[in-house]
DNA sequence: GGCGTAAAAATAATTCAGATTTATTTAGGC
DNA sequence: GCCTAAATAAATCTGAATTATTTTTACGCC
């Protein structure tokens, strides 16, 4: 959905497939991909395989050197900030660490974005926030639509921060957000996240940076608490020592 | 240097060239790229052009649709968090806004990374930090080597944060850092940034999160002050209202 | 005559097949 | 130990066939 590769086309499917295989560890670091075998296995021509490999190379997942072949690069060189890479990892299994890292980043990014938004928001951006809030209000009862509205709200807030780079972090906040929304909404349909969101908008409207930052922290803390209550301690920060 | 495309090879050069043209605005949003003309203009075959376009598409810069052609996507859909895109933008001209956004992000990311590092660093990571510090100390006098050592220090710190996503933000801190280092060091060779860096390491060693965060803030503030002193108010946050 | 729907044409990317070139590693020769 | 040659796999090129989508055209209906 948020991919750069529309569903149509053979190339897109090959990229997705190879991306998942690499990100999931099914093809390990240093392993070489035999392009010819892949061409045969997937029933596509070399052109398609080559173009797909180029895309993976553009995201730092693989490298192609003459004579040595195409091999998986070490994890430390992957573009982990790429939306596709995040998605492939999420599908590939190691969601625990990924989600923990994403949550930490959100806790870092969003309060700051709220602060900036309170300082720099335009009238249009404020209107967008109001509209997203309305949409969240209206879609209560429809989990899927509500999750989309929630995401749109956070997107608008990041956009209002006036920092393009911060704004593009929406790709990183999205996965954690939708997971939370699905879980929480299915278990506790009466919960209403709108007031907490409205508090953020009110602070942004009043151009009060401290209040905006604080309201966003409260929102994230509440979301995190919901998650812990439902999923036990699954999202507790794991012991991170002794990582190579 | 930090690119995914080794200097060797025709493909890499075409990607660089097209990336710069798009990122610099030389080819504007919505404009279509005529692959056939490009093939003729650059003296390469369609295969190379197609594979290069795929890479740009992977970074969200362009989209290829049958019948309509290959066109530049709106800026809002570019992967601004991609190292190549950052580099192309930097070369393309709009450095003012880019550097301001990068600086804001650094001010957000690095103190948090220092805090996490103080909580979670391993002995090996601490040793890496010490080594980077030594290297900074030894390379005083050689601006280029010193800038590299400085960068390596910040990379080690991000790595010690124990958060892979945070760690990959090194791609974003690098451009601003080298610009600063070049400017400061050429104008004021006697300035010694090592003590400020050592303060961060000491706090990380002592596992004192508050001190680490504070030391990093101080470091960034000092760097920013240097920059302002030398470049006037060039990096003052511009008035960001009334952006569409 | 105006309008909406369905078939047909045009177009550019997409995919394919296979030959040629280039760079790099490994092995062999001086 | 250094230089040369063979082997290898990616890199590049060529040009044709295919596919999907837009635009146009034609037809029938109101």
């Amino acid at each position: 959905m948020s991919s750069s590769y529309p569903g149509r086309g053979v190339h897109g499917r090959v990229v997705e497939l190879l991306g998942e295989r690499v990100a999931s560890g099914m093809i390990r670091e240093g392993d070489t991909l035999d392009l010819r075998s892949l061409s045969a296995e997937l029933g596509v021509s070399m052109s398609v395989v080559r173009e797909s490999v180029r895309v993976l190379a553009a995201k730092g997942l693989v490298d192609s050197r003459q004579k040595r072949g195409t091999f998986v690069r070490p994890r430390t060189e992957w573009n982990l900030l790429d939306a596709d890479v995040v998605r492939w990892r999420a599908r590939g299994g190691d969601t625990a660490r990924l989600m923990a890292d994403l949550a930490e980043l959100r806790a870092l990014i969003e309060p700051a974005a709220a602060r900036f938004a309170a300082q720099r928001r335009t009238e249009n951006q404020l209107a967008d926030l109001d509209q997203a809030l309305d949409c969240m209000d209206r879609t209560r009862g429809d989990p899927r639509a509500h999750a989309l509205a929630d995401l749109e709200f956070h997107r608008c807030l990041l956009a209002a921060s006036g920092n393009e780079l911060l704004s593009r972090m929406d790709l990183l906040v999205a996965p954690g957000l939708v997971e939370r929304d699905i879980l929480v909404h299915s278990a506790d349909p009466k919960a209403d996240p709108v007031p907490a969101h409205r508090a953020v908008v009110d602070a942004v409207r009043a151009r009060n940076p401290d209040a905006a930052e604080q309201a966003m922290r409260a929102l994230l803390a509440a979301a995190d608490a919901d998650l812990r209550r439902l999923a036990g301690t699954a999202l507790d920060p794991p012991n991170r020592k002794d990582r190579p």
Side-chain angles (χ1 to χ4, degrees), chain A:
Chain A
M1 182 184 302
S2 62
S3 168
S4 314
Y5 318 103
R8 52 196 183 287
V10 178
H11 167 73
R13 276 187 288 119
V14 174
V15 171
E16 287 296 311
L17 189 131
L18 291 182
E20 278 182 49
R21 283 192 187 177
V22 172
S24 71
M26 181 176 157
I27 309 176
R28 265 172 293 185
E29 295 182 18
D31 284 2
T32 65
L33 323 191
D34 183 4
L35 306 195
R36 208 162 295 183
S37 311
L38 282 172
S39 167
E41 177 197 343
L42 306 176
V44 298
S45 72
M46 286 297 289
S47 311
V48 172
V49 174
R50 282 184 49 73
E51 287 172 22
S52 304
V53 163
R54 282 268 192 262
V55 171
L56 295 194
K59 296 178 186 300
L61 266 56
V62 304
D63 195 5
S64 298
R65 308 270 290 266
Q66 285 181 157
K67 169 70 187 174
R68 291 187 47 185
T70 297
F71 50 89
V72 177
R73 295 174 76 177
R75 255 180 92 88
T76 53
E77 297 174 26
W78 295 1
N79 291 13
L80 297 184
L81 300 177
D82 184 283
D84 291 319
V85 176
V86 170
R87 186 161 35 78
W88 294 331
R89 286 183 66 195
R91 278 199 218 138
D94 75 336
T95 48
R97 178 171 188 180
L98 177 60
M99 287 299 162
D101 284 355
L102 283 169
E104 272 184 12
L105 216 56
R106 262 191 89 181
L108 198 56
I109 295 299
E110 296 214 89
R115 167 172 285 275
F116 285 136
Q119 293 168 330
R120 308 200 281 235
R121 55 94 175 160
T122 67
E123 291 302 321
N124 282 344
Q125 289 165 340
L126 185 61
D128 290 343
L129 279 169
D130 278 326
Q131 192 181 336
L133 204 59
D134 277 355
C135 192
M136 282 183 71
D137 210 14
R138 267 182 286 110
T139 56
R140 219 176 310 152
D142 179 353
R144 168 135 190 84
H146 191 269
L148 286 177
D150 193 357
L151 182 56
E152 179 62 18
F153 176 90
H154 290 266
R155 246 194 261 277
C156 288
L157 186 83
L158 288 171
S161 77
N163 184 320
E164 281 188 321
L165 298 176
L166 217 46
S167 194
R168 248 28 124 254
M169 301 268 179
D170 60 349
L171 303 169
L172 301 176
V173 312
L177 190 144
V178 299
E179 173 171 283
R180 189 203 73 89
D181 267 16
I182 292 167
L183 202 62
V184 171
H185 212 284
S186 65
D188 186 4
K190 293 196 309 298
D192 185 6
V194 172
H197 285 72
R198 193 182 306 281
V200 176
V201 179
D202 286 343
V204 169
R205 188 190 324 277
R207 300 192 186 281
N208 185 337
D210 290 331
E213 182 176 344
Q214 206 46 50
M216 180 54 81
R217 277 193 211 284
L219 193 165
L220 292 174
D224 193 45
D226 283 349
L227 208 47
R228 278 164 201 267
R229 185 162 45 82
L230 291 169
T233 56
L235 279 212
D236 272 347
N239 182 7
R240 302 172 102 104
K241 295 181 186 177
D242 307 316
R243 281 187 188 163

